[in-house]
Amino acid sequence: MPIMYNTGEWFKVRPDYYRKVELATPDWPLDLDLEYMWVEVAPYGGPLAVTRDPTKLVPVKGTARPMIRIFDTTGREMGHILWNHGKLIAMGWSDMEELICIQENATVFVYDMFGREKESYSIGNEASVTKIVEAKVFQSSAGTGVAVMTTSGRVFLKQNSSKTERKLPDIPNSSMNCSCWEIVTEGRNSYCLLGRDREVIKLFPGETVGTITANLFEKPHERIIKISVSYNHQHLALYTNTGLLWLGSVDMRQKYCEFDTGRKDMPLQMEWIMNADNSEADAVVISYPSYLLIVNRNADRSDFPYDPVMFLVAEMDGVRIITQSSHEMIQRLPKCVENIFAVNSQEPASYLFEAQKKFEERSYKSDEYLSMCREKIDLAVAECIEAASYEFCPETQKSLLRTAYYGKGFIRNHNPDEYIRIMRILRVLNTLRHERIAMPITFKQFSHLNTEVILSRLVFRKHYAIAIQVAKHLNLPESWILEHWAYHKVMNDPNDTEVARKITEKFKNPSVEGISFCNIASKAHQAGRDDLAIKLLELESRAWLHVPLLLKMRKFNRAVGSATQSGDTELITQVLLEMKLHMMLSNLHMTIRDHPLALNIYKKIMRESNRAGLYGIYNTEDDQKAIAEYHFQNAIETEGLESNLSMIGNAYAQGRCTLEAELCADTSRLIKLQKTLSTKYNVSLNGLSIHDTIQELLLIGELKEAERIRSDFKVPERRFWWLRILTLSSQHKWEELEKLAKSKKSPVGYDPFVEVCLKQDNASEARKYIPRCRDNRRVIWYMRANLFNEAIDSAFEQRDVHSLFELQKNQAIVNNGTLQSKVFDCIAVLEGK
């Protein structure tokens, strides 16, 4: 079956195939020689940290101060760190692509990939005092952890910067030195494996002393010098000083094989090769100077000559190898790729690939190959799509995708979603692998990290245009990327007008949603660029978002304007309270007077909390009516109305409130009169209304005084008569009441006379006034006074048949035969007419 040009890099470690994939060749600076360097490489195609190896004699070039240089995988320098701390013990990379540096006193420094320091923390006092000799950076479920070994042989472990350090158990017979050690993560726990002589010691948290495992090797050796744990922390490799290699499970209960490498020299590194199409590991790769050895579980081997110095980087689906002149990746060959490209492959995907090639050549053999895989063509299409995702070469990807496209035409109702998804992802992966981006990740790594992390890494590297295109291509929101781009502009472009113009131009695209100019303005404020922050806030249409930043900037006039524009009373209140804390009252009043809603809310706040402040506002505004009301309320509460009435009246008069000013004058006169009358007649009139004052005077018989008050205060005559009628009836002065009724025509009529008499149960007095009432009311009053005979006569005189019928139903008339006959006769007479 087909032999593609990329199979030349395949090699077999029985029974599996492995391959070397060539990545972008690094172009290191001329002054960088990796042979004399200590290199730490971040996984997932991340950056490299390079510094002089203190164990090697290095010709000094430039400054003698230690420097850590940071490169991407193509050899482009991204940043550097002038190391001015203590002795550097270890370096490593976090899962967030942060460089972690551990110095001799157990202090950990964290830098970003551009060499900027982010934070620092300590592993603990004991480790700091006793000093450390070795350190490891490891990944755990809690994040990126650090483990250190002190000069006293103790191991301390910190699972992330926020957690407290943990002291691991004592090493048995600690007087004997350990030759190697490694950290293993198991679920939420991390523990340490140490190699010492011919035994492995396990230090598990919570135990008092470590457990020893010995006699793992069958062949004789002196000591274990290398330990390697697989990427998934399931497998363990041990290497001895005699060149023996032991492979087994990490708990050392299962042994895969024991292999004699035949080499006596010290290996540089040893890493497990994780499988690309599952989560297992079947082989380890061991690097020596100018030599690379691969050994699998079946004790089969493959070796290659290599550059004198190489650095191995364990990945989740292989091992990367970085040298002075190359960058490669070793992987176990994915099964789907082997099925298609292996020599003499009889798999359906291989036949389909050949059928598509013959179809392009317009050969009749295309149909022959197609007939060989027609029964399993859906499986063949799926394998071609999967194989394309594992390939690094764009031409091979295209060939496999063309094959899948060709094959799916023969499948009824084929769902193309997976084909489209893989094609989109491959376009993104090819972009990331380009030397300008320098993120050579695999499809499996891309799926593990997820697209949000990939975009975040692009944004952090300032590849904004690429990140936006990737987001669009994968149908993901791009607004947050633009927001980060805007942050970058704010921090680095000194021209405020130009920055605001560029940001507006980028954000006016209707497809961009969810961007807040306020977040960008906040960054501008943090950078000390308040003018730019104001310009950016003006672009934000949602006024309520302006307020927090404007308050922080002490731009109170704009803040109260934005809060008022939003119409949110709680927000306005918050602004006013903040202004009250930081502004002089006079300035505060001048600021809010142009915002009526804010002014009214402020008045309400002052009314409830500090009424004295209210007077200041009214004074500033020259609001005489409000000043009068303020004094009036104070006078009521302090019971000082009399002394303040003249001031209140003057304020009303200045505010052109004539009616209120007159009322104040009348009230003042009334209070003075009440005091005089109270003293004169020994009664309490203070605080009474005019109505009540007149009534009290009538009750004590001072008619003349009452009439004088009526005249002075223009009390209506009808009201005065009512007061006299009520007073006389309550005192049973019936003769006085009769005289009042006869004195002149009553302005209130005579119904009140009848009503007060009946209220006092005096029907005989009421009889005097009923004839003087209106015709339509007489019958009613007679009935209420139980004068039924007069009621019948009045109804008959008025020819009111309806009232007669009502009288006929009255129980008192029903029980009185004479009256009943009289009603019948009157009704008969009126109906007869």
Side-chain angles (χ1 to χ4, degrees):
M1 297 322 306
I3 301 176
M4 291 292 290
Y5 58 87
N6 60 350
T7 59
E9 294 296 330
W10 292 12
F11 59 91
K12 194 158 190 174
V13 186
R14 288 187 300 268
D16 302 313
Y17 278 102
Y18 288 78
R19 67 176 177 182
K20 282 198 296 182
V21 179
E22 188 173 342
L23 306 176
T25 303
D27 182 17
W28 304 110
L30 294 176
D31 63 341
L32 185 72
D33 188 348
L34 295 184
E35 184 178 355
Y36 302 104
M37 295 297 162
W38 171 12
V39 179
E40 289 293 339
V41 187
Y44 301 103
L48 302 81
V50 179
T51 189
R52 287 201 299 259
D53 190 340
T55 63
K56 297 177 181 177
L57 293 174
V58 184
V60 176
K61 298 176 183 178
T63 177
R65 291 177 63 189
M67 179 188 288
I68 302 171
R69 300 170 72 180
I70 301 171
F71 298 90
D72 64 17
T73 55
T74 62
R76 186 168 52 246
E77 188 163 359
M78 303 171 71
H80 64 269
I81 304 165
L82 288 173
W83 186 257
N84 51 12
H85 304 292
K87 182 181 177 183
L88 183 63
I89 298 297
M91 295 189 299
W93 290 92
S94 75
D95 51 3
M96 302 291 290
E97 293 191 313
E98 298 165 330
L99 179 62
I100 297 175
C101 301
I102 305 107
Q103 71 175 16
E104 190 178 25
N105 66 353
T107 302
V108 179
F109 295 91
V110 182
Y111 300 87
D112 66 17
M113 66 173 65
F114 301 109
R116 296 186 291 257
E117 186 174 340
K118 295 181 69 175
E119 64 171 331
S120 63
Y121 57 90
S122 176
I123 302 298
N125 290 334
E126 186 176 339
S128 176
V129 170
T130 56
K131 305 298 182 186
I132 63 172
V133 289
E134 286 189 72
K136 301 280 184 184
V137 177
F138 64 93
Q139 305 302 324
S140 70
S141 59
T144 302
V146 174
V148 298
M149 181 181 287
T150 66
T151 53
S152 60
R154 299 304 306 267
V155 177
F156 294 87
L157 183 144
K158 193 178 180 79
Q159 288 196 315
N160 60 42
S161 60
S162 61
K163 295 206 171 192
T164 55
E165 68 277 359
R166 302 174 71 180
K167 186 194 296 186
L168 296 185
D170 293 335
I171 302 172
N173 302 321
S174 57
S175 59
M176 301 169 65
N177 291 329
C178 296
S179 52
C180 55
W181 62 300
E182 196 61 73
I183 300 297
V184 181
T185 298
E186 212 174 66
R188 299 180 65 180
N189 291 313
S190 297
Y191 61 90
C192 180
L193 291 178
L194 299 99
R196 187 180 65 184
D197 293 343
R198 292 184 292 274
E199 58 194 20
V200 177
I201 304 169
K202 179 179 179 181
L203 305 180
F204 197 87
E207 297 178 356
T208 55
V209 68
T211 56
I212 298 175
T213 304
N215 302 319
L216 292 172
F217 289 85
E218 295 176 0
K219 296 179 181 179
H221 63 284
E222 293 178 6
R223 65 184 182 278
I224 298 169
I225 59 172
K226 280 280 182 187
I227 293 181
S228 177
V229 178
S230 64
Y231 191 89
N232 63 355
H233 295 262
Q234 298 295 315
H235 311 287
L236 181 67
L238 305 173
Y239 193 92
T240 71
N241 65 320
T242 57
L244 291 179
L245 176 67
W246 183 92
L247 302 181
S249 61
V250 77
D251 59 6
M252 294 170 282
R253 294 176 182 175
Q254 183 181 358
K255 177 180 176 181
Y256 305 149
C257 74
E258 185 177 319
F259 179 80
D260 188 353
T261 63
R263 298 186 67 92
K264 306 302 180 187
D265 51 342
M266 180 78 171
L268 301 174
Q269 279 179 272
M270 180 169 63
E271 299 290 352
W272 282 87
I273 303 174
M274 298 295 296
N275 298 344
D277 46 5
N278 59 46
S279 298
E280 283 302 314
D282 294 320
V284 293
V285 56
I286 308 171
S287 65
Y288 303 89
S290 305
Y291 182 75
L292 194 73
L293 175 65
I294 298 168
V295 181
N296 70 357
R297 293 189 187 193
N298 298 324
D300 195 27
R301 65 180 287 169
S302 184
D303 50 27
F304 304 93
Y306 245 92
D307 290 3
V309 175
M310 68 190 87
F311 299 94
L312 307 183
V313 187
E315 299 282 4
M316 67 182 304
D317 53 355
V319 172
R320 282 193 292 140
I321 306 171
I322 297 174
T323 70
Q324 189 77 35
S325 59
S326 67
H327 186 191
E328 296 176 328
M329 186 172 193
I330 294 181
Q331 282 185 318
R332 200 187 86 164
L333 191 67
K335 193 65 181 174
C336 55
V337 177
E338 183 181 344
N339 289 344
I340 296 171
F341 297 131
V343 179
N344 296 325
S345 173
Q346 306 294 314
E347 296 296 326
S350 182
Y351 289 123
L352 180 62
F353 187 85
E354 194 65 26
Q356 192 274 334
K357 279 180 60 182
K358 296 301 180 185
F359 179 77
E360 284 186 345
E361 296 170 3
R362 300 192 175 186
S363 170
Y364 69 92
K365 289 185 178 181
S366 172
D367 192 54
E368 293 180 7
Y369 284 117
L370 193 61
S371 64
M372 294 179 185
C373 64
R374 193 177 291 275
E375 291 183 1
K376 296 183 178 179
I377 196 165
D378 52 346
L379 175 62
V381 168
E383 279 202 339
C384 286
I385 294 172
E386 185 184 3
S389 69
Y390 290 120
E391 290 299 324
F392 277 75
C393 174
E395 292 304 318
T396 308
Q397 295 169 3
K398 290 177 185 177
S399 297
L400 290 166
L401 289 174
R402 276 197 299 268
T403 301
Y405 186 80
Y406 171 75
K408 69 188 181 71
F410 299 97
I411 303 174
R412 181 174 295 180
N413 300 325
H414 180 264
N415 186 349
D417 290 350
E418 182 64 9
Y419 174 84
I420 294 169
R421 186 181 77 89
I422 295 296
M423 188 166 61
R424 286 179 180 276
I425 292 174
L426 282 175
R427 286 173 180 162
V428 174
L429 285 174
N430 291 336
T431 301
L432 296 176
R433 292 165 184 166
H434 191 275
E435 60 183 17
R436 274 191 60 225
I437 310 300
M439 289 174 60
I441 62 173
T442 64
F443 173 78
K444 187 174 182 179
Q445 292 170 15
F446 180 89
S447 303
H448 175 75
L449 289 176
N450 74 51
T451 49
E452 286 76 13
V453 174
I454 297 296
L455 288 173
S456 298
R457 293 189 173 189
L458 284 171
V459 166
F460 193 73
R461 287 168 167 81
K462 300 181 178 59
H463 296 306
Y464 300 109
I466 298 295
I468 289 171
Q469 292 305 315
V470 168
K472 286 180 178 177
H473 190 65
L474 298 176
N475 299 319
L476 295 171
E478 60 187 272
S479 55
W480 67 274
I481 302 171
L482 279 172
E483 208 165 297
H484 276 272
W485 167 82
Y487 295 162
H488 176 68
K489 281 290 175 191
V490 165
M491 301 302 288
N492 295 282
D493 192 333
N495 190 327
D496 290 355
T497 306
E498 192 64 18
V499 171
R501 184 190 65 78
K502 287 178 179 177
I503 290 174
T504 308
E505 201 172 273
K506 287 285 184 185
F507 288 8
K508 69 182 179 183
N509 189 339
S511 65
V512 178
E513 297 178 353
I515 289 182
S516 170
F517 286 97
C518 293
N519 294 340
I520 306 165
S522 180
K523 284 285 182 184
H525 171 62
Q526 289 173 17
R529 303 178 66 178
D530 285 358
D531 292 340
L532 176 59
I534 295 294
K535 287 181 180 179
L536 292 171
L537 283 179
E538 288 171 354
L539 301 173
E540 178 59 63
S541 57
R542 295 165 291 181
W544 58 274
L545 289 175
H546 302 182
V547 175
L549 181 59
L550 288 171
L551 289 177
K552 194 184 290 185
M553 295 165 64
R554 299 287 188 266
K555 303 291 183 182
F556 295 117
N557 193 16
R558 288 179 178 270
V560 74
S562 296
T564 306
Q565 187 181 341
S566 74
D568 186 341
T569 54
E570 289 187 5
L571 189 62
I572 296 170
T573 304
Q574 179 189 342
V575 172
L576 292 172
L577 293 175
E578 191 73 19
M579 291 170 71
K580 192 164 173 279
L581 287 174
H582 297 95
M583 292 179 74
M584 292 178 63
L585 284 179
S586 57
N587 294 339
L588 171 60
H589 299 160
M590 293 301 292
T591 302
I592 65 175
R593 67 184 302 179
D594 297 328
H595 306 282
L597 179 57
L599 181 60
N600 290 335
I601 292 174
Y602 182 73
K603 287 177 182 177
K604 183 182 176 184
I605 294 170
M606 291 295 100
R607 198 174 293 118
E608 293 173 354
S609 61
N610 180 14
R611 288 239 305 276
L614 209 55
Y615 181 75
I617 300 174
Y618 297 149
N619 229 0
T620 304
E621 297 175 339
D622 195 26
D623 187 348
Q624 294 298 326
K625 181 183 176 183
I627 290 173
E629 289 170 352
Y630 169 79
H631 287 313
F632 184 77
Q633 190 169 356
N634 275 352
I636 293 294
E637 290 178 359
T638 59
E639 297 181 357
L641 183 60
E642 183 180 357
S643 59
N644 286 286
L645 270 173
S646 60
M647 180 173 61
I648 296 168
N650 289 336
Y652 274 128
Q654 290 177 31
R656 297 182 181 179
C657 300
T658 310
L659 178 61
E660 288 85 348
E662 289 178 358
L663 285 172
C664 286
D666 289 346
T667 305
S668 181
R669 284 193 295 120
L670 177 63
I671 291 172
K672 290 176 182 177
L673 181 59
Q674 286 174 337
K675 278 190 173 183
T676 304
L677 294 174
S678 296
T679 305
K680 184 177 180 180
Y681 299 113
N682 196 24
V683 291
S684 177
L685 301 176
N686 295 331
L688 297 180
S689 64
I690 294 173
H691 178 98
D692 293 340
T693 303
I694 293 172
Q695 190 173 20
E696 286 295 322
L697 289 170
L698 291 173
L699 285 171
I700 62 174
E702 295 298 329
L703 178 59
K704 288 183 180 181
E705 291 288 356
E707 285 181 339
R708 184 161 66 87
I709 291 175
R710 180 189 69 80
S711 175
D712 289 347
F713 291 97
K714 299 176 183 177
V715 177
E717 190 178 13
R718 286 173 57 85
R719 179 181 291 186
F720 188 72
W721 271 67
W722 257 110
L723 284 170
R724 289 200 65 190
I725 292 167
L726 290 169
T727 306
L728 292 172
S729 65
S730 66
Q731 294 177 325
H732 300 282
K733 293 182 179 180
W734 305 116
E735 292 178 2
E736 295 286 336
L737 186 63
E738 191 175 356
K739 285 179 183 178
L740 177 62
K742 292 177 179 179
S743 63
K744 64 176 183 178
K745 185 178 179 182
S746 170
V748 294
Y750 294 94
D751 292 87
F753 289 86
V754 179
E755 186 175 352
V756 296
C757 291
L758 292 177
K759 196 172 181 182
Q760 298 295 335
D761 297 325
N762 195 339
S764 61
E765 283 295 325
R767 189 197 298 265
K768 297 176 183 178
Y769 306 109
I770 293 175
R772 304 179 69 175
C773 294
R774 289 171 295 167
D775 293 345
N776 61 343
R777 297 288 297 172
R778 287 177 197 160
V779 176
I780 296 170
W781 287 123
Y782 279 131
M783 289 176 67
R784 285 184 59 183
N786 295 324
L787 301 172
F788 298 113
N789 200 27
E790 288 85 347
I792 295 169
D793 291 340
S794 179
F796 184 73
E797 287 173 10
Q798 295 174 37
R799 300 177 180 277
D800 187 354
V801 178
H802 177 73
S803 295
L804 288 170
F805 277 117
E806 289 297 321
L807 286 165
Q808 187 181 12
K809 296 176 188 176
N810 190 282
Q811 193 63 39
I813 294 176
V814 170
N815 296 333
N816 190 324
T818 306
L819 293 174
Q820 192 173 21
S821 297
K822 187 175 181 179
V823 172
F824 286 150
D825 292 343
C826 289
I827 292 172
V829 170
L830 291 175
E831 286 183 341
K833 292 181 179 180

